[in-house]
Amino acid sequence: MLKGLRQLCSNPLLVNRAGRSLEQLRIDLDNNLADMIPVGVWSLANPDFVERIKHNESLNEADHNTFYCVGIEEYTGYPFLTR
């Protein structure tokens, strides 16, 4: 289905596959099925997501109960990587 959609769509295509692992992120890009891969939950839980990926560091676990909350436990309260 994605191959068919890709052929019909001339605009940039974002493909979000919930539950995929970091190792699986590039599959759709490498197979020319997507132009961009959203990383929403990972970026919410890791304010330094790009740095963590660059340096092959572990990621913070996302706590869905804190997303879009107000206060100390809001999603912007996740720790940055310390090196």
Side-chain angles (χ1 to χ4, degrees):
M1 182 175 106
L2 190 53
K3 285 181 183 181
L5 178 62
R6 181 64 171 173
Q7 292 172 349
L8 293 173
C9 183
S10 60
N11 293 324
L13 186 59
L14 282 74
V15 176
N16 186 8
R17 294 186 187 262
R20 69 196 182 281
S21 67
L22 285 174
E23 293 77 24
Q24 297 170 323
L25 278 180
R26 294 200 50 89
I27 292 172
D28 291 327
L29 291 172
D30 293 343
N31 290 317
N32 197 32
L33 296 175
D35 296 301
M36 187 179 294
I37 304 299
V39 293
V41 171
W42 283 322
S43 64
L44 286 175
N46 295 276
D48 52 357
F49 179 76
V50 173
E51 287 301 309
R52 287 175 184 262
I53 297 302
K54 279 183 186 177
H55 299 289
N56 199 30
E57 296 286 345
S58 62
L59 299 177
N60 294 323
E61 286 291 322
D63 180 356
H64 296 268
N65 295 319
T66 63
F67 290 177
Y68 312 108
C69 294
V70 176
I72 191 104
E73 294 179 348
E74 65 188 17
Y75 66 93
T76 59
Y78 285 95
F80 283 82
L81 182 63
T82 57
R83 302 186 99 213

